[in-house]
Amino acid sequence: MQSLYAFKGHESDDLVKDEKFLLHSLDGMLDLYLSIIALLTELHKKSKDYNEKLQKKLLSADSDRNPNTKFQDNLLLNFISNNKMLQDVIAKRKLNFWHLDFEYVDILFKETRKSKLYEDYLEDADAGFEHDKQFIISIYTEIIAPNDKLFDYFEDKKLTWVDDFPVVNTVLLKILRKVKLTSPETKLLPDLYKDEDDKEFAKDLFKKTVLNNSKFNEEISKKTTNWDTERLASLDGLLLKMALCEFQKFPSIPHKVTINEYLEIAKEYSTPKSSLFINGILDKIVKEYQSQKLYPKAGRGLM
């Protein structure tokens, strides 16, 4: 989806280069995800260092000698930091560059410490993995992800990460919400593809959507009204074209599976009303195909 959204070529272009861009883009998104996980690891280390320095101060107050270590002891941060498999992958791909660019860790740690979220968290008597997890999700959503300096840093680090950032944020938060203290180490390591077939499907969907772009545009335009023009030029239009591609070019995928998949994507990445808009258009198209016996689905029970 992200590669199609960024695609600036034409149906007649040689797509070999763009197919390579697709695979490179997906790999780049994984790198961005892992670099953010590495950032959380460094924030955790920073909290430990901060507390140790407080305790070593010669003229320290009682609160310094006995600092509140709730952030340092956060169960989710410890789960991430102690995940050997995850940390090995980050090290192998050389994605923990925060020890070199430590000023960004310092900025985010200071922003976190002076926040009401942090103050409430330290004072809250509640404990446990779910409680700790919700705090990390909250500071990531409200402090880390919206930070302009971090955004600029990612843009300087790798230009494509600017477009990838919202998508990776959504994936990261979804994974964090689902992780449990008993989860295996692999839970924090998302697969780019389920298997080789999944990889081939991604490439086929990309190529066939691009090669039929004009045809899909024309068909969607006939099913929409004038007020939908701006919406069709946005992500919603792309999702509709990808769904049409599955309807027409992938006979083994049931209509319902395609519709449900793109409704979920719309809910995650587009506007609040997008899923209703997309559902209405796709439902209209499917009924037309079925009445005219166009693009039948293959296999038992498929419709």
Side-chain angles (χ1 to χ4, degrees):
M1 179 185 73
Q2 194 73 4
S3 298
L4 283 166
Y5 195 64
F7 180 71
K8 304 300 181 188
H10 304 282
E11 295 174 7
S12 59
D13 288 349
D14 180 2
L15 295 180
V16 174
K17 180 177 68 174
D18 297 293
E19 186 179 297
K20 289 180 179 177
F21 171 75
L22 165 69
L23 300 178
H24 182 71
S25 174
L26 290 172
D27 199 55
M29 291 173 73
L30 178 60
D31 281 350
L32 177 57
Y33 168 86
L34 291 171
S35 72
I36 295 172
I37 291 290
L39 174 59
L40 293 177
T41 303
E42 291 304 311
L43 283 170
H44 186 216
K45 289 180 183 176
K46 181 70 179 178
S47 70
K48 294 179 181 178
D49 293 343
Y50 177 79
N51 286 335
E52 287 176 4
K53 287 177 181 177
L54 282 181
Q55 291 174 317
K56 290 177 181 178
K57 285 172 64 176
L58 292 176
L59 300 175
S60 57
D62 288 342
S63 59
D64 290 342
R65 285 193 293 269
N66 299 288
N68 189 323
T69 61
K70 193 170 182 180
F71 186 53
Q72 173 183 327
D73 298 334
N74 183 281
L75 292 173
L76 176 59
L77 289 181
N78 276 281
F79 182 81
I80 292 171
S81 297
N82 296 327
N83 188 322
K84 187 177 185 304
M85 182 183 293
L86 177 65
Q87 298 301 331
D88 284 348
V89 172
I90 290 171
K92 186 177 180 180
R93 294 173 79 109
K94 299 180 180 178
L95 293 169
N96 193 348
F97 27 71
W98 302 108
H99 62 289
L100 297 174
D101 300 317
F102 58 87
E103 64 266 32
Y104 295 94
V105 178
D106 290 346
I107 289 168
L108 292 170
F109 184 66
K110 288 175 183 176
E111 289 293 318
T112 298
R113 282 188 56 247
K114 70 181 185 181
S115 69
K116 186 71 163 55
L117 278 171
Y118 184 82
E119 181 184 337
D120 291 344
Y121 175 66
L122 295 191
E123 293 179 355
D124 197 336
D126 287 347
F129 188 78
E130 290 301 316
H131 177 69
D132 284 358
K133 179 171 72 173
Q134 188 53 55
F135 169 67
I136 298 303
I137 289 172
S138 295
I139 64 167
Y140 185 80
T141 305
E142 298 184 31
I143 297 172
I144 299 173
N147 188 276
D148 290 335
K149 290 182 179 179
L150 180 64
F151 185 84
D152 291 342
Y153 172 79
F154 281 139
E155 183 177 21
D156 291 339
K157 199 75 176 173
K158 193 170 185 178
L159 189 59
T160 56
W161 279 358
V162 175
D163 293 326
D164 295 339
F165 197 45
V167 178
V168 172
N169 281 337
T170 302
V171 171
L172 173 67
L173 291 172
K174 183 182 286 188
I175 290 173
L176 292 182
R177 289 187 182 106
K178 290 183 178 180
V179 75
K180 298 177 180 178
L181 192 56
T182 55
S183 295
E185 288 191 328
T186 52
K187 186 68 177 179
L188 291 172
L189 279 168
D191 293 321
L192 285 177
Y193 318 101
K194 295 177 183 176
D195 48 37
E196 195 61 31
D197 288 342
D198 193 45
K199 181 178 180 179
E200 288 304 311
F201 171 74
K203 291 160 61 176
D204 284 348
L205 180 61
F206 175 81
K207 288 188 290 186
K208 291 176 181 179
T209 302
V210 170
L211 291 172
N212 293 275
N213 184 62
S214 299
K215 175 187 174 184
F216 295 154
N217 268 335
E218 183 179 350
E219 185 168 350
I220 293 168
S221 296
K222 292 177 181 178
K223 304 294 186 299
T224 56
T225 56
N226 291 332
W227 67 269
D228 293 323
T229 304
E230 186 176 336
R231 185 181 288 274
L232 289 174
S234 69
L235 181 60
D236 293 353
L238 173 60
L239 294 177
L240 285 170
K241 284 185 280 189
M242 292 172 71
L244 253 65
C245 188
E246 288 193 17
F247 285 167
Q248 297 182 16
K249 308 297 180 182
F250 296 87
S252 65
I253 303 177
H255 291 134
K256 285 184 178 179
V257 170
T258 294
I259 291 174
N260 289 338
E261 179 70 22
Y262 287 101
L263 290 183
E264 285 302 310
I265 294 174
K267 288 175 184 176
E268 292 284 355
Y269 302 114
S270 199
T271 66
K273 294 183 179 179
S274 292
S275 58
L276 291 174
F277 169 74
I278 290 171
N279 186 54
I281 301 298
L282 293 182
D283 186 61
K284 190 186 298 184
I285 289 171
V286 168
K287 286 179 179 177
E288 181 181 291
Y289 286 174
Q290 290 175 336
S291 66
Q292 297 179 21
K293 294 183 171 53
L294 295 172
Y295 310 111
K297 293 295 182 178
R300 290 183 59 187
L302 298 183
M303 57 177 292

